[in-house]
Amino acid sequence: MASESPPGASGAVAGAGANVAAALIGRFQKICGTEHVITHPHDLHAYRSDGLTHFQVMPAVAVLPNSAEEVQAVVRACHAARVPWVARGAGSGLSGGALPVADGVLLVLTRMNRILEVDLDNHLVVVEPGVTNTAVSAAVGPHFFYPPDPSSQTVCTIGGNVAENSGGAHCFKYGFTTNYVLGLDVVLTDGEMVTLGGHGEVDVPGYDLLGAFVGSEGTLGVATRITLRVIPTPEHTRTLVAFFGSVVAASAATSAVVAAGLTPCAIEMMDALSIAASEQMAHAGWPAEAGAALLVEFDGTLADCEAGFAELKAICVDTGSTQIRVARTAAERSVFWKMRKSAFPAAGRISGRYYVQDGVIPRTRLPEVMARVEELGAEHGLKVANVFHAGDGNLHPMVCYAGPDEAARAEKVATLILQACLDAGGSITGEHGVGVDKKGYMPRMFDEPDLAAFQKLRCAFDPDGLANPGKVMPTPRLCGEVPGPNRVHPLEAAGLAERF
Amino acid sequence: MAELLSAGRTVRPVGGRTKTDWGGVGPAAEVELSTRKLGHLVAHNEGDLTAVLEAGVRLTDAQTAFADRGQRLSLDPPNPGGEATIGGVVATADSGPLRHGHGAVRDLILGVRIALPDGTVARAGSNVIKNVAGYDLAKLMCGALGTLGVVTEVTVRLHPLPAHTVTVAARGGDLGTLSQAAAALARLPLQLEALDLRWDGPAAGGALLARSAGRAPAEVAGIAATAAAAQGLEVTVTEDDDATWAEQRSRQRARDGEAVLRVSALATALAAVLGAAPSGVARAGLGLAWLRIPADAALVRRLRAELAPATCVLLDAPAELRAAVDPWGVDGPAVALARRVKQRFDPAGVCNPGIHVGGI
Ligand SMILES: Cc1cc2nc3c(=O)[nH]c(=O)nc-3n(C[C@H](O)[C@H](O)[C@H](O)COP(=O)(O)OP(=O)(O)OC[C@H]3O[C@@H](n4cnc5c(N)ncnc54)[C@H](O)[C@@H]3O)c2cc1C
């Protein structure tokens, strides 16, 4: 869960260690240039945390390579010295994925922000990891676009998106980052470079290591070159907001829309609290008495879009919508989206502090789980504002609190909400990742053999545990040697011989 | 099943036995492990558009059950005889024309349960459509041909079954024109569910096939038809299109005495790829082609050299051919990394040894 200001106890602050030998720092300076190797505590300050600001650790050094070769050389030097490192993009992550390792190296990839190739004949674009999400769509627009659109898209990097398998408001129809990554050049922890997937081709022979790497939260290596699939921009978009008496009623409408076989490109929900908060920033003039707003968007060819949109309106009416507003102009549409996108910053206005939770449930369980969320807030005397990806069943409750006493309660509520998601058959994270924040929850979702299987993959990529150690897995684990072939001889199997 | 794997004997998992001749020729396995008894459709969560299937469920049976409720698993690999199981489809990562609009099995799989050679049964992923907790081992299982463990259960995402589909077939005798028309269609924002090419050599010619399945398929097909006609192709539009697409699928498999080469290329290279063999089909927007070729090792080598950097995987080939020429035809750091993954999951090499890239 993310918090926009420190709740206190759960964070950790470590001082810059002197354990990274001067020789290694000298090596980095040779590789990247002195000005791109940061060691002064004052300058390192900005790198202490990612978007999950209550976790803070000072790295020993931050290195800003400018090319894949430089990344390779830095990683190789770390490998030789057995020094752990953490890759970092924009540091907008909300699970502490880019939290530095004390005394370790932070590999900051923001200088690698070049778009290497735009090949619209093959519907692809090749970028360095530090390119921002919006820069990709900008590079291929207006006729093409890159669908995964995290709300942080103007700042977050494609490298970070790949590592987190980021989603966005439009993934109900279009899918997630993993569905758009065609190939990756990855520097492994021993400094070897490997291409996963292709340079635009699909079904490249071999294991789907590309699929395994996406969403691996920086623990399997550094992506230095990323080939992405882009798609033609839909000709037409229609957007409406339907108001309902309650979140439960709007949840039922969401299910009805999906059950009717409609595939809107976005189905986003806001509750009364977040509507009121966003109204202060976006001034959309939405009805103050609405219990919930459902922002639904269709896109496609004109005919397809209009047909779907008409059905959608009918369903909203049938399911008890109190009012429907259709965006008639691009300006109106952007006000609707501004309401949705202001929700998080606006929550900061109604409450000094809040936790953002990121849980997933099967969409059909929305009514009961939302009722439970409300109940939990009431039980603990805290406001919970809700704005979320309803189509995906991906909840982002914001548990509002003030002061240290409420902080502890807020943390408890956030935890109980996550448990409610798991009890409903869901997941502990839909898009923000496990990082350090949720590694303690992993055993609630996965059993020991599951975690052991994850560890097998991690050890195959990083036997020395140098890449982003201490993230994702609940307890630190060592890899150990690969057991040698120990086949039972056919004679043994047949009971004709035994080994002692 | 996990217990069996941990006993140390080499195991060959099998489902419907429709693709047992894919991959390299490994040593004969000591035990054949059938998923046939894992035949339950565990859950069809209609309102969530997801389903949980045991590995041995036949794809056709699952599709029938989904269709009853107006849904489908948007996966249509060739399935002669209808014996293909969901476990086999995951293991081979085979796909059909719907790949264009809905992705491959890797894009539709949400979770997996795997019997591992260490005697444990592990789960990865989840039963919900959005989840980033833990490593995506479900994708890792796609196309692994059972060499890392045996998939016993999968959770998949479903889609609404379209009420109507309309297919545009544009015929022509010039491969360059056909592929240009395909490129033009791929650039239009039509959100087609399938976009294929078929080629039977210069004498017989070929076709561009586009299928629309949205809320207004006729209108979309109309736009596609106009675009194809503008390239000088002879266009027909039909709603009765099942046979056309069944034929595309069947052409992904070899006939007797032939082999199939699956080529992963860039879309812009497809004219060269299809032109290299007597006949073939392709996913025009994805650069993925299946060429039917005589079962001849020298020919496979020549085509690989000619089509590089596109990669060519030999499918449906007789064992002698697969012994004479590496069916995968790749090597390098990614294969070395794959070997490291294999060693971690299956250190004793009991799962389908010798059949994957680099003899894994
Ligand atoms: C206001 C706000 C809104 C957000 N909205 C969304 C949203 O809608 N959807 C969503 O999914 N997320 C959202 N996020 C979360 C965050 O923006 C994403 O996780 C994003 O992908 C992180 O990108 P980054 O460049 O900031 O990565 P960082 O935070 O720097 O790093 C994230 C992880 O990626 C790893 N990493 C970074 N670069 C590489 C690389 N090149 N190779 C390997 N590993 C690497 C790091 O080690 C770390 O584990 C939001 C965050 C904020 C602050």
Side-chain angles (χ1 to χ4, degrees), chain A residues 87 89-93 97 109 129 150-152 157 160-161 163-164 166-167 217 221 223 431 468:
Chain A
S92 74
L109 298 157
S151 306
S152 51
T157 67
N161 290 177
E164 301 288 358
S166 298
E217 304 195 24
E431 54 184 20
N468 216 359

Side-chain angles (χ1 to χ4, degrees), chain A residues 43-266:
Chain A
D43 301 324
L44 282 175
H45 223 68
Y47 296 112
R48 281 173 316 168
S49 66
D50 63 4
L52 186 72
T53 49
H54 59 291
F55 283 90
Q56 303 185 347
V57 172
M58 282 290 259
V61 53
V63 187
L64 285 76
N66 194 30
S67 68
E69 290 70 28
E70 289 184 12
V71 172
Q72 233 179 330
V74 169
V75 168
R76 204 167 265 149
C78 289
H79 186 251
R82 292 293 189 273
V83 170
W85 49 267
V86 177
R88 178 186 168 105
S92 74
L94 292 174
S95 55
L99 183 75
V101 178
D103 300 337
V105 174
L106 192 68
L107 210 54
V108 183
L109 298 157
T110 42
R111 288 177 71 215
M112 293 179 62
N113 62 355
R114 282 157 290 231
I115 292 184
L116 301 173
E117 196 184 328
V118 176
D119 177 357
L120 295 184
D121 289 334
N122 286 306
H123 301 203
L124 62 86
V125 45
V126 185
V127 301
E128 288 186 330
V131 167
T132 62
N133 178 290
T134 23
V136 175
S137 276
V140 300
H143 298 301
F144 283 79
F145 81 116
Y146 176 65
D149 59 342
S151 306
S152 51
Q153 66 188 144
T154 54
V155 294
C156 68
T157 67
I158 292 297
N161 290 177
V162 166
E164 301 288 358
N165 186 18
S166 298
H170 290 87
C171 43
F172 176 64
K173 174 169 175 180
Y174 288 109
F176 314 94
T177 301
T178 190
N179 307 113
Y180 292 87
V181 181
L182 293 167
L184 292 173
D185 281 2
V186 171
V187 174
L188 299 174
T189 52
D190 57 5
E192 281 293 304
M193 175 76 84
V194 55
T195 299
L196 308 181
H199 288 296
E201 305 87 352
V202 298
D203 285 2
V204 171
Y207 291 153
D208 193 350
L209 300 176
L210 180 67
F213 189 92
V214 177
S216 63
E217 304 195 24
T219 63
L220 301 184
V222 191
T224 55
R225 181 185 151 105
I226 301 162
T227 305
L228 299 170
R229 185 164 69 91
V230 293
I231 64 173
T233 309
E235 166 190 42
H236 199 67
T237 304
R238 293 297 302 270
T239 312
L240 65 71
V241 56
F243 301 99
F244 291 86
S246 66
V247 169
V248 171
S251 300
T254 303
S255 285
V257 168
V258 176
L262 294 174
T263 311
C265 58

